[in-house]
Amino acid sequence: MSYNIAIDGPAGAGKSTIARRVAKKLGFIYVDTGAMYRAIALYMLENKLEEEAMIAKAVEDVNVKIVYEDGEQQVLLNDKNVSGLIRTEEVGKMASCVAKVGAVREQLLDLQRALAKTENVIMDGRDIGTHVLPNADLKIYLTASSRERANRRYKELTEKGVACDLAVIEQDIIARDHQDMNRAIAPLKQAEDAVLVDSSDMSIEEVVDAIIAAFKEKC
Ligand code: DC
């Protein structure tokens, strides 16, 4: 039997940072499902496919695989490792668009469920607790205010020397939340049995400790 922890929440809430640390502490595998949508988005951008019908057709030619190198998830797009190419704002926005397409979600659902079946996983995304792993042992809904999420992103980008505008970042975050929460299939929402964690005024370690305590209490 394997343990599954689901973490859902809006863009920039810190899901991947937190999930990676929890995974390390518990000896679980971290599965970043957003990276799978991002890989498909990259394919659509490279092939200039924007219409939903075109995306639904083209996804038949796309093969996404997940492998682990030194414990870090790598995403293979048609057997090419694209992990280093999918972290841009452009790919993130496109990922939110391709994620509306039913054929895309169906393809990734099987891959996500297969990973959780055999391994102890902590999996993050938008529909993990509500749809992908409805029987997860622990479900977390991790959020923070849009202003705080924008501040964190602004800091991250300026530290990398990327010129950016805080107001534009916050607008993009609000637009992405709206798109992810209002799509017809598997929209982002808090599962009824999820523990709500608002990280606006919490440090990374505080959130990690809260999740591990919640897991130990339940399992
Ligand atoms: O978490 P992220 O920013 O890497 O995700 C990119 C987009 O992928 C996100 O805006 C919506 C989509 N996504 C999804 O619809 N379902 C998931 N389980 C994970 C991501």
Side-chain angles (χ1 to χ4, degrees):
M1 197 195 93
S2 59
Y3 286 112
N4 293 169
I5 302 177
I7 302 195
D8 292 300
K15 297 184 298 296
S16 56
T17 307
I18 304 286
R20 193 173 275 116
R21 292 200 191 187
V22 173
K24 219 173 218 158
K25 288 201 170 180
L26 292 177
F28 281 25
I29 285 175
Y30 165 48
V31 181
D32 170 4
T33 62
M36 303 174 188
Y37 288 93
R38 285 171 181 262
I40 293 182
L42 180 69
Y43 179 90
M44 300 304 163
L45 285 171
E46 282 177 350
N47 291 284
K48 303 195 172 20
L49 299 165
E50 284 175 13
E51 301 290 318
E52 280 199 31
M54 289 164 108
I55 292 171
K57 178 92 192 76
V59 80
E60 291 170 14
D61 302 326
V62 179
N63 182 3
V64 175
K65 275 192 216 138
I66 296 296
V67 293
Y68 286 85
E69 275 174 19
D70 300 327
E72 277 294 311
Q73 173 180 301
Q74 307 292 320
V75 188
L76 306 187
L77 173 64
N78 293 339
D79 294 323
K80 180 185 163 200
N81 189 337
V82 293
S83 308
L85 304 174
I86 57 172
R87 293 290 150 205
T88 64
E89 297 299 310
E90 187 192 18
V91 173
K93 273 189 200 172
M94 186 62 178
S96 180
C97 294
V98 304
K100 289 190 285 184
V101 180
V104 171
R105 304 203 72 84
E106 273 164 36
Q107 189 187 115
L108 296 181
L109 186 63
D110 291 343
L111 172 62
Q112 292 159 2
R113 286 192 175 149
L115 284 163
K117 205 169 185 172
T118 49
E119 310 280 352
N120 291 333
V121 298
I122 176 160
M123 186 178 287
D124 80 357
R126 303 293 188 286
D127 61 338
I128 311 306
T130 52
H131 193 59
V132 180
L133 305 175
N135 299 319
D137 302 282
L138 175 67
K139 298 179 187 178
I140 303 289
Y141 190 83
L142 181 64
T143 190
S145 67
S146 59
R147 174 44 64 105
E148 178 55 26
R149 288 183 281 137
N151 276 333
R152 291 176 189 167
R153 186 75 184 131
Y154 178 80
K155 195 166 165 258
E156 199 181 304
L157 288 170
T158 40
E159 274 170 11
K160 281 188 199 154
V162 179
C164 54
D165 179 325
L166 181 61
V168 172
I169 293 175
E170 188 175 6
Q171 279 318 309
D172 281 353
I173 281 179
I174 291 169
R176 184 117 79 90
D177 287 356
H178 186 267
Q179 180 152 261
D180 292 343
M181 289 172 173
N182 291 287
R183 65 176 176 233
I185 314 167
L188 167 64
K189 63 172 185 224
Q190 184 180 341
E192 275 176 20
D193 50 351
V195 178
L196 174 66
V197 179
D198 184 333
S199 72
S200 302
D201 298 313
M202 291 171 84
S203 69
I204 292 171
E205 277 318 312
E206 282 172 334
V207 178
V208 169
D209 289 347
I211 293 175
I212 289 179
F215 178 72
K216 290 197 169 145
E217 200 180 301
K218 279 198 90 181
C219 302

